[in-house]
Short mmCIF file of all heavy atoms in Angstrom, two decimals:
data_model
loop_
_atom_site.label_atom_id
_atom_site.label_comp_id
_atom_site.label_asym_id
_atom_site.label_seq_id
_atom_site.Cartn_x
_atom_site.Cartn_y
_atom_site.Cartn_z
N HIS K 1115 124.06 106.53 88.79
CA HIS K 1115 123.74 107.39 87.66
C HIS K 1115 123.70 106.61 86.34
O HIS K 1115 122.93 106.92 85.44
CB HIS K 1115 124.72 108.56 87.58
CG HIS K 1115 124.22 109.67 86.69
ND1 HIS K 1115 123.11 110.43 87.01
CD2 HIS K 1115 124.63 110.12 85.48
CE1 HIS K 1115 122.88 111.30 86.04
NE2 HIS K 1115 123.78 111.12 85.10
N LYS K 1116 124.52 105.58 86.27
CA LYS K 1116 124.52 104.78 85.04
C LYS K 1116 123.17 104.07 84.86
O LYS K 1116 122.65 103.98 83.76
CB LYS K 1116 125.66 103.75 85.08
CG LYS K 1116 125.79 102.99 83.78
CD LYS K 1116 127.04 102.14 83.70
CE LYS K 1116 127.17 101.46 82.35
NZ LYS K 1116 126.04 100.58 82.01
N ARG K 1117 122.63 103.59 85.97
CA ARG K 1117 121.32 102.95 85.89
C ARG K 1117 120.27 103.96 85.43
O ARG K 1117 119.37 103.64 84.64
CB ARG K 1117 120.94 102.36 87.26
CG ARG K 1117 119.69 101.53 87.20
CD ARG K 1117 119.39 100.81 88.50
NE ARG K 1117 118.15 100.05 88.39
CZ ARG K 1117 117.37 99.74 89.41
NH1 ARG K 1117 117.73 100.08 90.64
NH2 ARG K 1117 116.26 99.07 89.23
N TYR K 1118 120.40 105.19 85.93
CA TYR K 1118 119.51 106.28 85.52
C TYR K 1118 119.61 106.49 84.01
O TYR K 1118 118.60 106.51 83.29
CB TYR K 1118 119.91 107.54 86.28
CG TYR K 1118 119.28 108.84 85.83
CD1 TYR K 1118 117.97 109.17 86.21
CD2 TYR K 1118 120.00 109.77 85.08
CE1 TYR K 1118 117.42 110.38 85.84
CE2 TYR K 1118 119.46 110.98 84.71
CZ TYR K 1118 118.16 111.28 85.08
OH TYR K 1118 117.60 112.49 84.71
N MET K 1119 120.85 106.61 83.53
CA MET K 1119 121.05 106.83 82.10
C MET K 1119 120.50 105.65 81.29
O MET K 1119 119.80 105.84 80.30
CB MET K 1119 122.55 107.02 81.79
CG MET K 1119 123.19 108.27 82.38
SD MET K 1119 122.40 109.82 81.88
CE MET K 1119 122.78 109.86 80.12
N ASP K 1120 120.83 104.45 81.73
CA ASP K 1120 120.44 103.27 80.95
C ASP K 1120 118.94 103.04 80.97
O ASP K 1120 118.37 102.54 80.01
CB ASP K 1120 121.17 102.02 81.48
CG ASP K 1120 122.66 102.07 81.15
OD1 ASP K 1120 123.06 102.92 80.33
OD2 ASP K 1120 123.42 101.26 81.72
N THR K 1121 118.29 103.38 82.09
CA THR K 1121 116.85 103.13 82.19
C THR K 1121 116.03 104.17 81.44
O THR K 1121 115.03 103.85 80.80
CB THR K 1121 116.40 103.13 83.67
OG1 THR K 1121 117.28 102.30 84.41
CG2 THR K 1121 114.97 102.63 83.82
N TYR K 1122 116.47 105.42 81.51
CA TYR K 1122 115.61 106.50 80.99
C TYR K 1122 116.17 107.23 79.77
O TYR K 1122 115.42 107.64 78.91
CB TYR K 1122 115.33 107.54 82.09
CG TYR K 1122 114.86 106.92 83.37
CD1 TYR K 1122 115.68 106.90 84.50
CD2 TYR K 1122 113.60 106.34 83.46
CE1 TYR K 1122 115.27 106.32 85.69
CE2 TYR K 1122 113.17 105.75 84.65
CZ TYR K 1122 114.01 105.74 85.76
OH TYR K 1122 113.60 105.15 86.91
N LEU K 1123 117.48 107.43 79.74
CA LEU K 1123 118.02 108.37 78.75
C LEU K 1123 118.86 107.74 77.65
O LEU K 1123 119.06 108.36 76.61
CB LEU K 1123 118.81 109.48 79.46
CG LEU K 1123 118.00 110.27 80.51
CD1 LEU K 1123 118.86 111.33 81.17
CD2 LEU K 1123 116.75 110.91 79.89
N ASN K 1124 119.35 106.54 77.86
CA ASN K 1124 120.14 105.91 76.81
C ASN K 1124 119.33 104.97 75.93
O ASN K 1124 119.85 104.44 74.95
CB ASN K 1124 121.31 105.11 77.40
CG ASN K 1124 122.40 106.03 77.94
OD1 ASN K 1124 122.47 107.20 77.56
ND2 ASN K 1124 123.23 105.52 78.83
N VAL K 1125 118.07 104.74 76.29
CA VAL K 1125 117.27 103.77 75.54
C VAL K 1125 117.03 104.31 74.12
O VAL K 1125 117.28 103.61 73.14
CB VAL K 1125 115.93 103.49 76.25
CG1 VAL K 1125 115.12 102.46 75.48
CG2 VAL K 1125 116.17 103.03 77.68
N TYR K 1126 116.55 105.54 74.05
CA TYR K 1126 116.42 106.22 72.75
C TYR K 1126 117.13 107.55 72.94
O TYR K 1126 116.62 108.44 73.62
CB TYR K 1126 114.94 106.43 72.39
CG TYR K 1126 114.17 105.13 72.36
CD1 TYR K 1126 113.20 104.86 73.33
CD2 TYR K 1126 114.42 104.16 71.39
CE1 TYR K 1126 112.50 103.66 73.32
CE2 TYR K 1126 113.73 102.96 71.38
CZ TYR K 1126 112.78 102.71 72.35
OH TYR K 1126 112.09 101.52 72.35
N LYS K 1127 118.30 107.66 72.35
CA LYS K 1127 119.17 108.81 72.60
C LYS K 1127 118.45 110.13 72.30
O LYS K 1127 117.83 110.29 71.24
CB LYS K 1127 120.42 108.66 71.71
CG LYS K 1127 121.69 109.25 72.28
CD LYS K 1127 122.12 108.63 73.59
CE LYS K 1127 123.28 109.38 74.24
NZ LYS K 1127 123.48 108.95 75.63
N GLY K 1128 118.52 111.03 73.25
CA GLY K 1128 117.89 112.33 73.05
C GLY K 1128 116.47 112.39 73.59
O GLY K 1128 115.83 113.45 73.56
N TYR K 1129 115.95 111.25 74.06
CA TYR K 1129 114.59 111.19 74.61
C TYR K 1129 114.63 110.71 76.06
O TYR K 1129 115.53 109.97 76.45
CB TYR K 1129 113.73 110.18 73.85
CG TYR K 1129 113.45 110.50 72.41
CD1 TYR K 1129 114.35 110.14 71.41
CD2 TYR K 1129 112.27 111.13 72.05
CE1 TYR K 1129 114.08 110.41 70.08
CE2 TYR K 1129 111.99 111.40 70.72
CZ TYR K 1129 112.90 111.04 69.74
OH TYR K 1129 112.62 111.30 68.42
N TYR K 1130 113.61 111.09 76.81
CA TYR K 1130 113.36 110.46 78.10
C TYR K 1130 112.39 109.32 77.83
O TYR K 1130 111.30 109.53 77.29
CB TYR K 1130 112.73 111.46 79.09
CG TYR K 1130 112.20 110.79 80.35
CD1 TYR K 1130 113.02 110.60 81.46
CD2 TYR K 1130 110.88 110.31 80.41
CE1 TYR K 1130 112.54 109.97 82.60
CE2 TYR K 1130 110.40 109.68 81.55
CZ TYR K 1130 111.23 109.51 82.63
OH TYR K 1130 110.76 108.88 83.75
N PHE K 1131 112.76 108.11 78.18
CA PHE K 1131 111.93 106.94 77.93
C PHE K 1131 111.11 106.62 79.17
O PHE K 1131 111.64 106.44 80.26
CB PHE K 1131 112.83 105.76 77.56
CG PHE K 1131 112.08 104.47 77.37
CD1 PHE K 1131 110.99 104.40 76.51
CD2 PHE K 1131 112.47 103.32 78.04
CE1 PHE K 1131 110.30 103.21 76.33
CE2 PHE K 1131 111.79 102.12 77.86
CZ PHE K 1131 110.70 102.07 77.02
N THR K 1132 109.77 106.55 79.00
CA THR K 1132 108.90 106.33 80.17
C THR K 1132 108.78 104.87 80.57
O THR K 1132 108.42 104.57 81.69
CB THR K 1132 107.47 106.82 79.88
OG1 THR K 1132 106.93 106.03 78.82
CG2 THR K 1132 107.43 108.29 79.50
N GLY K 1133 109.02 103.97 79.61
CA GLY K 1133 108.78 102.55 79.89
C GLY K 1133 107.34 102.14 79.68
O GLY K 1133 106.99 100.99 79.86
N ASP K 1134 106.50 103.10 79.28
CA ASP K 1134 105.09 102.79 79.05
C ASP K 1134 104.77 102.83 77.56
O ASP K 1134 105.34 103.62 76.81
CB ASP K 1134 104.19 103.81 79.77
CG ASP K 1134 104.24 103.62 81.28
OD1 ASP K 1134 104.05 102.48 81.74
OD2 ASP K 1134 104.48 104.60 82.00
N GLY K 1135 103.84 101.98 77.17
CA GLY K 1135 103.32 102.03 75.81
C GLY K 1135 102.18 103.03 75.75
O GLY K 1135 101.52 103.28 76.75
N ALA K 1136 101.97 103.62 74.57
CA ALA K 1136 100.89 104.59 74.46
C ALA K 1136 100.44 104.72 73.02
O ALA K 1136 101.19 104.43 72.09
CB ALA K 1136 101.33 105.97 74.97
N GLY K 1137 99.20 105.17 72.88
CA GLY K 1137 98.68 105.50 71.56
C GLY K 1137 98.31 106.97 71.53
O GLY K 1137 98.04 107.57 72.58
N ARG K 1138 98.35 107.56 70.34
CA ARG K 1138 97.87 108.94 70.17
C ARG K 1138 96.72 108.86 69.18
O ARG K 1138 96.93 108.37 68.06
CB ARG K 1138 99.00 109.83 69.65
CG ARG K 1138 98.62 111.30 69.50
CD ARG K 1138 99.86 112.19 69.29
NE ARG K 1138 100.69 111.71 68.21
CZ ARG K 1138 102.03 111.71 68.23
NH1 ARG K 1138 102.69 112.18 69.27
NH2 ARG K 1138 102.72 111.23 67.21
N ASP K 1139 95.56 109.27 69.57
CA ASP K 1139 94.40 109.04 68.71
C ASP K 1139 94.26 110.15 67.66
O ASP K 1139 95.12 111.03 67.55
CB ASP K 1139 93.12 108.81 69.53
CG ASP K 1139 92.60 110.10 70.19
OD1 ASP K 1139 93.05 111.20 69.84
OD2 ASP K 1139 91.71 109.97 71.07
N HIS K 1140 93.17 110.09 66.91
CA HIS K 1140 93.02 111.01 65.78
C HIS K 1140 92.93 112.47 66.22
O HIS K 1140 93.11 113.37 65.40
CB HIS K 1140 91.80 110.61 64.95
CG HIS K 1140 90.51 110.70 65.72
ND1 HIS K 1140 90.20 109.82 66.73
CD2 HIS K 1140 89.49 111.58 65.65
CE1 HIS K 1140 89.02 110.14 67.24
NE2 HIS K 1140 88.57 111.21 66.60
N GLU K 1141 92.64 112.69 67.50
CA GLU K 1141 92.59 114.08 67.97
C GLU K 1141 93.81 114.48 68.79
O GLU K 1141 93.80 115.51 69.45
CB GLU K 1141 91.32 114.29 68.81
CG GLU K 1141 90.06 114.21 67.98
CD GLU K 1141 88.81 114.31 68.83
OE1 GLU K 1141 88.73 113.63 69.88
OE2 GLU K 1141 87.91 115.07 68.45
N GLY K 1142 94.82 113.60 68.77
CA GLY K 1142 96.03 113.92 69.52
C GLY K 1142 95.94 113.59 71.00
O GLY K 1142 96.81 113.98 71.78
N PHE K 1143 94.91 112.88 71.41
CA PHE K 1143 94.79 112.47 72.81
C PHE K 1143 95.64 111.22 73.06
O PHE K 1143 95.69 110.34 72.22
CB PHE K 1143 93.32 112.16 73.16
CG PHE K 1143 92.54 113.38 73.55
CD1 PHE K 1143 92.53 114.51 72.75
CD2 PHE K 1143 91.81 113.40 74.74
CE1 PHE K 1143 91.81 115.64 73.12
CE2 PHE K 1143 91.08 114.52 75.11
CZ PHE K 1143 91.08 115.64 74.30
N TYR K 1144 96.24 111.17 74.24
CA TYR K 1144 97.10 110.04 74.58
C TYR K 1144 96.35 109.00 75.38
O TYR K 1144 95.56 109.32 76.27
CB TYR K 1144 98.33 110.53 75.36
CG TYR K 1144 99.27 111.30 74.45
CD1 TYR K 1144 99.07 112.66 74.22
CD2 TYR K 1144 100.28 110.65 73.76
CE1 TYR K 1144 99.88 113.36 73.34
CE2 TYR K 1144 101.11 111.34 72.89
CZ TYR K 1144 100.89 112.70 72.68
OH TYR K 1144 101.69 113.37 71.80
N TRP K 1145 96.61 107.74 75.05
CA TRP K 1145 96.04 106.59 75.74
C TRP K 1145 97.20 105.76 76.28
O TRP K 1145 97.96 105.19 75.49
CB TRP K 1145 95.20 105.75 74.78
CG TRP K 1145 94.03 106.49 74.22
CD1 TRP K 1145 94.05 107.44 73.23
CD2 TRP K 1145 92.67 106.37 74.65
NE1 TRP K 1145 92.78 107.91 73.01
CE2 TRP K 1145 91.90 107.28 73.86
CE3 TRP K 1145 92.01 105.59 75.60
CZ2 TRP K 1145 90.53 107.43 74.02
CZ3 TRP K 1145 90.63 105.73 75.75
CH2 TRP K 1145 89.90 106.64 74.96
N ILE K 1146 97.36 105.72 77.58
CA ILE K 1146 98.46 104.96 78.16
C ILE K 1146 98.07 103.48 78.17
O ILE K 1146 97.02 103.11 78.68
CB ILE K 1146 98.75 105.43 79.60
CG1 ILE K 1146 98.96 106.95 79.66
CG2 ILE K 1146 99.96 104.67 80.17
CD1 ILE K 1146 100.10 107.49 78.84
N ARG K 1147 98.91 102.66 77.55
CA ARG K 1147 98.58 101.23 77.43
C ARG K 1147 99.17 100.40 78.54
O ARG K 1147 99.02 99.19 78.54
CB ARG K 1147 99.10 100.69 76.10
CG ARG K 1147 98.68 101.48 74.87
CD ARG K 1147 97.20 101.37 74.64
NE ARG K 1147 96.84 101.93 73.34
CZ ARG K 1147 95.62 102.38 73.05
NH1 ARG K 1147 94.66 102.33 73.96
NH2 ARG K 1147 95.35 102.86 71.87
N GLY K 1148 99.93 100.99 79.43
CA GLY K 1148 100.62 100.22 80.47
C GLY K 1148 102.08 100.06 80.09
O GLY K 1148 102.53 100.56 79.06
N ARG K 1149 102.81 99.37 80.94
CA ARG K 1149 104.24 99.21 80.71
C ARG K 1149 104.49 98.44 79.42
O ARG K 1149 103.70 97.58 79.06
CB ARG K 1149 104.85 98.43 81.86
CG ARG K 1149 104.74 99.14 83.14
CD ARG K 1149 104.72 98.19 84.29
NE ARG K 1149 103.98 98.81 85.37
CZ ARG K 1149 104.42 99.86 86.04
NH1 ARG K 1149 105.60 100.35 85.77
NH2 ARG K 1149 103.70 100.40 86.99
N VAL K 1150 105.58 98.74 78.76
CA VAL K 1150 105.86 98.04 77.50
C VAL K 1150 105.94 96.54 77.72
O VAL K 1150 105.58 95.77 76.84
CB VAL K 1150 107.14 98.54 76.80
CG1 VAL K 1150 106.91 99.92 76.22
CG2 VAL K 1150 108.31 98.56 77.75
N ASP K 1151 106.36 96.15 78.92
CA ASP K 1151 106.40 94.71 79.21
C ASP K 1151 105.00 94.13 79.28
O ASP K 1151 104.83 92.92 79.27
CB ASP K 1151 107.07 94.46 80.57
CG ASP K 1151 108.52 94.89 80.54
OD1 ASP K 1151 109.09 94.96 79.44
OD2 ASP K 1151 109.06 95.15 81.62
N ASP K 1152 104.02 94.99 79.46
CA ASP K 1152 102.65 94.52 79.65
C ASP K 1152 101.85 94.57 78.35
O ASP K 1152 100.64 94.65 78.37
CB ASP K 1152 101.93 95.39 80.69
CG ASP K 1152 102.50 95.16 82.08
OD1 ASP K 1152 103.16 94.12 82.27
OD2 ASP K 1152 102.29 96.01 82.94
N VAL K 1153 102.54 94.56 77.25
CA VAL K 1153 101.83 94.52 75.98
C VAL K 1153 101.91 93.09 75.46
O VAL K 1153 102.95 92.45 75.55
CB VAL K 1153 102.44 95.52 74.98
CG1 VAL K 1153 101.85 95.36 73.60
CG2 VAL K 1153 102.23 96.94 75.50
N VAL K 1154 100.82 92.59 74.96
CA VAL K 1154 100.80 91.22 74.45
C VAL K 1154 100.80 91.29 72.93
O VAL K 1154 100.06 92.09 72.34
CB VAL K 1154 99.54 90.47 74.94
CG1 VAL K 1154 99.65 89.00 74.56
CG2 VAL K 1154 99.36 90.63 76.43
N ASN K 1155 101.63 90.48 72.33
CA ASN K 1155 101.76 90.51 70.88
C ASN K 1155 101.17 89.23 70.30
O ASN K 1155 101.82 88.19 70.27
CB ASN K 1155 103.25 90.63 70.54
CG ASN K 1155 103.46 90.99 69.09
OD1 ASN K 1155 102.58 90.77 68.25
ND2 ASN K 1155 104.62 91.54 68.79
N VAL K 1156 99.91 89.30 69.88
CA VAL K 1156 99.23 88.12 69.35
C VAL K 1156 99.19 88.23 67.82
O VAL K 1156 98.58 89.15 67.29
CB VAL K 1156 97.79 88.01 69.89
CG1 VAL K 1156 97.14 86.72 69.39
CG2 VAL K 1156 97.77 88.07 71.40
N SER K 1157 99.88 87.33 67.18
CA SER K 1157 99.88 87.30 65.71
C SER K 1157 100.18 88.66 65.12
O SER K 1157 99.55 89.09 64.16
CB SER K 1157 98.52 86.83 65.19
OG SER K 1157 98.18 85.63 65.79
N GLY K 1158 101.11 89.37 65.73
CA GLY K 1158 101.47 90.66 65.18
C GLY K 1158 100.58 91.80 65.64
O GLY K 1158 100.87 92.96 65.38
N HIS K 1159 99.49 91.50 66.33
CA HIS K 1159 98.67 92.56 66.92
C HIS K 1159 99.25 92.91 68.26
O HIS K 1159 99.36 92.05 69.13
CB HIS K 1159 97.23 92.09 67.17
CG HIS K 1159 96.46 91.78 65.94
ND1 HIS K 1159 95.91 92.74 65.15
CD2 HIS K 1159 96.15 90.59 65.36
CE1 HIS K 1159 95.28 92.17 64.15
NE2 HIS K 1159 95.41 90.87 64.25
N ARG K 1160 99.63 94.16 68.45
CA ARG K 1160 100.12 94.56 69.77
C ARG K 1160 98.93 95.00 70.60
O ARG K 1160 98.30 96.00 70.33
CB ARG K 1160 101.14 95.68 69.64
CG ARG K 1160 102.39 95.21 68.92
CD ARG K 1160 103.61 95.94 69.42
NE ARG K 1160 103.29 97.28 69.88
CZ ARG K 1160 103.46 98.38 69.15
NH1 ARG K 1160 103.95 98.30 67.95
NH2 ARG K 1160 103.17 99.55 69.65
N LEU K 1161 98.61 94.20 71.60
CA LEU K 1161 97.43 94.48 72.41
C LEU K 1161 97.86 94.98 73.78
O LEU K 1161 98.78 94.43 74.38
CB LEU K 1161 96.61 93.20 72.59
CG LEU K 1161 96.16 92.52 71.30
CD1 LEU K 1161 95.63 91.14 71.61
CD2 LEU K 1161 95.10 93.38 70.64
N SER K 1162 97.17 95.98 74.25
CA SER K 1162 97.51 96.47 75.57
C SER K 1162 96.75 95.67 76.62
O SER K 1162 95.56 95.41 76.49
CB SER K 1162 97.19 97.95 75.67
OG SER K 1162 96.20 98.18 76.61
N THR K 1163 97.47 95.26 77.64
CA THR K 1163 96.83 94.48 78.70
C THR K 1163 95.71 95.32 79.34
O THR K 1163 94.67 94.79 79.69
CB THR K 1163 97.85 94.08 79.77
OG1 THR K 1163 98.54 95.24 80.19
CG2 THR K 1163 98.84 93.08 79.24
N ALA K 1164 95.95 96.62 79.45
CA ALA K 1164 94.97 97.49 80.08
C ALA K 1164 93.63 97.44 79.34
O ALA K 1164 92.56 97.44 79.95
CB ALA K 1164 95.49 98.92 80.11
N GLU K 1165 93.73 97.38 78.02
CA GLU K 1165 92.53 97.36 77.19
C GLU K 1165 91.70 96.10 77.42
O GLU K 1165 90.48 96.14 77.55
CB GLU K 1165 93.02 97.33 75.73
CG GLU K 1165 92.16 98.05 74.79
CD GLU K 1165 92.59 99.50 74.72
OE1 GLU K 1165 93.73 99.75 74.32
OE2 GLU K 1165 91.76 100.34 75.07
N ILE K 1166 92.40 94.97 77.46
CA ILE K 1166 91.70 93.69 77.63
C ILE K 1166 91.14 93.61 79.05
O ILE K 1166 90.03 93.14 79.27
CB ILE K 1166 92.66 92.52 77.33
CG1 ILE K 1166 93.27 92.69 75.93
CG2 ILE K 1166 91.93 91.18 77.44
CD1 ILE K 1166 94.37 91.69 75.59
N GLU K 1167 91.91 94.12 80.00
CA GLU K 1167 91.43 94.13 81.39
C GLU K 1167 90.18 95.00 81.52
O GLU K 1167 89.22 94.65 82.21
CB GLU K 1167 92.52 94.65 82.33
CG GLU K 1167 93.65 93.64 82.49
CD GLU K 1167 94.96 94.27 82.94
OE1 GLU K 1167 94.97 95.47 83.28
OE2 GLU K 1167 95.97 93.56 82.94
N ALA K 1168 90.19 96.12 80.82
CA ALA K 1168 89.04 97.01 80.88
C ALA K 1168 87.80 96.30 80.34
O ALA K 1168 86.70 96.43 80.89
CB ALA K 1168 89.32 98.28 80.10
#
Side-chain angles (χ1 to χ4, degrees):
H1115 196 67
K1116 186 171 183 300
R1117 188 173 179 206
Y1118 170 79
M1119 294 303 293
D1120 290 348
T1121 311
Y1122 310 109
L1123 303 179
N1124 287 340
V1125 182
Y1126 303 111
K1127 211 61 188 167
Y1129 295 85
Y1130 168 89
F1131 176 53
T1132 63
D1134 290 309
R1138 183 167 52 219
D1139 73 13
H1140 62 290
E1141 291 176 314
F1143 275 52
Y1144 289 85
W1145 297 77
I1146 307 300
R1147 308 292 190 204
R1149 296 153 208 291
V1150 288
D1151 296 337
D1152 291 341
V1153 172
V1154 189
N1155 194 338
V1156 184
S1157 307
H1159 294 282
R1160 295 212 330 261
L1161 303 168
S1162 116
T1163 52
E1165 214 88 61
I1166 305 173
E1167 288 158 8

